[in-house]
């Protein structure tokens, strides 16, 4: 199973879950052949600063500076500035570390200087030595809003402030109707030899990217090149609240449930051996099914899954 080093790969990614596979890919292929399209529905403005959590999680992970325990923020981070902000009565439910703040200040300053989010993302990843291209899904703001039993909540309020306790009734991507894909997004999908849908939340990580004008159609047009890694294993999320959100919105929290959401644009659906009993039902949706371990706790597991997806004989 030798990886084909010449393949051009484009990945669609959320934050922590996606970064595990992205790190594996980054290590086993030429990282300059990897382009990552990242969800920005999670972006939020706090204290006047533009925070782009998923862009930063992917960038910090590939730069080798992420806090690997939490999966976000800097390793060995301190929170002195946040404590001082609380003295002024500012909300401190979103943990912005001292080093991390420099990233948000830099991005916000670039935007204030008339630069785009894509340009800010590129400046940050280049400064941190990341060799792969990291593209926001859009340069336009598309905040994910959770309509819940407590009313509308920004996704970060739902996730971090309210710890996913509210019941989800609907999900909206505000402004997505007029949002354009960021420069290079549609081209990266068209030019890729393989397009990987990372094991991220299908509703609030991959969902916003698919909702940007032209993206889903572009994937459909290249369906045979699309490989989606299922983020649900044995009925549970690999990371975060996907299982709970799927159920509350009337989907099944199973590999088949996710496969139904992806069937129109996915050529090969990758499931863990734990879910192999669902493979015939998934294949009946019109996709190839690849059965391979998708739980990535160690670096060896991340590399192994990445190598398998890059293998010329995949899906075997
Ligand atoms: N996640 C949390 O659960 N609590 C936090 O306080 C928090 C702060 C934070 C700061 C910067 C950053 O880039 C990410 C941060 N995250 C935090 C992660 C983030 O909310 C989510 O994991 C992603 O948005 C989902 O992909």
């Amino acid at each position: 199973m030798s990886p084909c080093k010449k393949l051009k790969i484009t990945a669609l990614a959320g934050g922590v879950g996606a970064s595990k596979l992205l790190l594996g890919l980054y290590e086993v292929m030429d990282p300059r052949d990897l382009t990552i399209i990242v969800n920005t529905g999670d972006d939020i403005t706090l204290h006047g600063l533009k925070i782009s959590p998923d862009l930063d999680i992917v960038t910090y992970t590939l730069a080798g500076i992420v806090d690997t325990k939490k999966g976000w923020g800097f390793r060995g981070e301190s929170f002195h500035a946040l404590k001082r902000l609380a003295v002024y009565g500012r909300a401190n439910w979103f943990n912005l570390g001292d080093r991390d703040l420099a990233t948000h200040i830099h991005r916000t300053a670039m935007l204030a200087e008339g630069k785009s989010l894509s340009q800010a993302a590129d400046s940050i990843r280049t400064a941190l030595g990341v060799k792969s291209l990291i593209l926001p899904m859009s340069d336009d703001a598309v905040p994910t809003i959770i309509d819940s039993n407590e009313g509308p909540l920004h996704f970060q309020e739902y996730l971090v402030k309210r710890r996913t306790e509210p019941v989800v009734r609907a999900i909206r991507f505000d402004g997505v109707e007029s949002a354009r894909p960021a420069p290079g997004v549609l081209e990266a999908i068209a030019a890729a030899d393989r397009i990987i849908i990372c094991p991220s939340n299908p509703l609030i990580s991959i969902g916003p990217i698919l909702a940007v004008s032209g993206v889903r159609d572009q994937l459909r047009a290249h369906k045979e090149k699309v490989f989606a890694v299922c983020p649900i294993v044995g009925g549970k999320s690999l990371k975060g609240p996907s299982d709970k959100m799927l159920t509350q919105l009337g989907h099944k929290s199973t590999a088949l449930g996710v496969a139904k959401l992806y069937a129109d644009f996915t050529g090969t659906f990758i499931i863990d051996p734990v879910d192999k009993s669902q493979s015939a039902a998934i294949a009946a949706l019109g996709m190839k099914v690849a059965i391979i371990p998708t739980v990535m706790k160690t670096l060896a597991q991340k590399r192994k899954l990445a190598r398998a997806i890059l293998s010329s004989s995949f899906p075997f």
Side-chain angles (χ1 to χ4, degrees):
M1 200 167 61
S2 68
C4 176
K5 295 203 171 58
K6 294 215 163 25
L7 288 182
K8 262 191 180 359
I9 301 294
T10 293
L12 271 59
V16 181
S19 292
K20 295 178 183 201
L21 178 58
L22 292 172
L23 185 59
L25 289 165
Y26 195 80
E27 296 217 343
V28 303
M29 63 182 281
D30 183 339
R32 290 165 303 185
D33 290 334
L34 174 63
T35 298
I36 307 159
I37 300 169
V38 181
N39 167 43
T40 55
D42 291 16
D43 289 17
I44 188 166
T45 300
L46 291 168
H47 321 300
L49 299 173
K50 164 86 167 164
I51 324 283
S52 296
D54 286 356
L55 280 172
D56 292 344
I57 289 166
V58 169
T59 307
Y60 294 176
T61 300
L62 300 185
I65 57 177
V66 79
D67 180 327
T68 46
K69 248 191 174 160
K70 295 200 296 251
W72 50 267
F74 275 75
R75 190 181 317 131
E77 184 62 292
S78 56
F79 293 87
H80 300 294
L82 192 70
K83 285 189 194 118
R84 297 309 306 169
L85 286 166
V87 170
Y88 301 127
R90 292 209 151 272
N92 63 352
W93 55 267
F94 200 74
N95 292 286
L96 296 169
D98 297 327
R99 293 170 180 81
D100 194 25
L101 274 168
T103 305
H104 312 313
I105 292 169
H106 175 56
R107 176 167 39 233
T108 307
M110 281 191 73
L111 294 173
E113 289 153 14
K115 301 284 196 300
S116 65
L117 184 62
S118 303
Q119 289 171 314
D122 203 56
S123 163
I124 294 163
R125 72 101 189 160
T126 311
L128 297 181
V130 175
K131 298 189 186 86
S132 302
L133 267 186
I134 299 179
L135 309 177
M137 66 189 199
S138 177
D139 282 338
D140 305 314
V142 187
T144 297
I145 305 296
I146 305 293
D147 283 322
S148 77
N149 62 330
E150 297 181 5
L153 297 168
H154 184 284
F155 175 69
Q156 296 297 349
E157 288 182 298
Y158 162 76
L159 181 78
V160 178
K161 191 177 183 186
R162 295 289 300 111
R163 299 182 183 281
T164 74
E165 280 166 23
V167 180
V168 180
R169 296 200 168 131
I171 299 172
R172 288 183 280 129
F173 310 123
D174 254 15
V176 77
E177 302 76 19
S178 54
R180 287 148 304 160
V185 164
L186 297 181
E187 294 82 352
I189 294 172
D193 295 303
R194 288 186 188 178
I195 302 143
I196 301 174
I197 313 293
C198 290
S200 298
N201 187 318
L203 302 173
I204 48 80
S205 298
I206 302 301
I209 308 177
L210 298 174
V212 174
S213 160
V215 172
R216 195 170 194 127
D217 284 344
Q218 188 74 311
L219 292 170
R220 282 187 187 133
H222 297 276
K223 186 176 187 230
E224 77 291 350
K225 301 191 301 192
V226 178
F227 295 73
V229 181
C230 184
I232 298 283
V233 173
K236 297 256 167 281
S237 316
L238 283 174
K239 183 80 204 149
S242 305
D243 44 7
K244 180 150 98 174
M245 298 181 88
L246 282 164
T247 308
Q248 290 179 356
L249 288 172
H251 305 285
K252 286 264 180 321
S253 170
T254 58
L256 179 60
V258 178
K260 284 182 179 165
L261 298 173
Y262 288 177
D264 60 309
F265 62 84
T266 297
T268 304
F269 196 73
I270 302 166
I271 60 171
D272 192 84
V274 163
D275 294 316
K276 67 169 184 277
S277 64
Q278 296 170 52
S279 74
I282 295 170
L285 297 169
M287 294 182 277
K288 288 183 196 159
V289 181
I291 304 172
I292 180 164
T294 55
V295 179
M296 293 171 282
K297 293 215 166 91
T298 66
L299 187 55
Q301 289 168 328
K302 294 169 195 174
R303 287 198 189 118
K304 197 171 174 200
L305 180 57
R307 271 206 195 93
I309 298 174
L310 296 179
S311 159
S312 53
S313 54
F314 194 71
F316 312 124

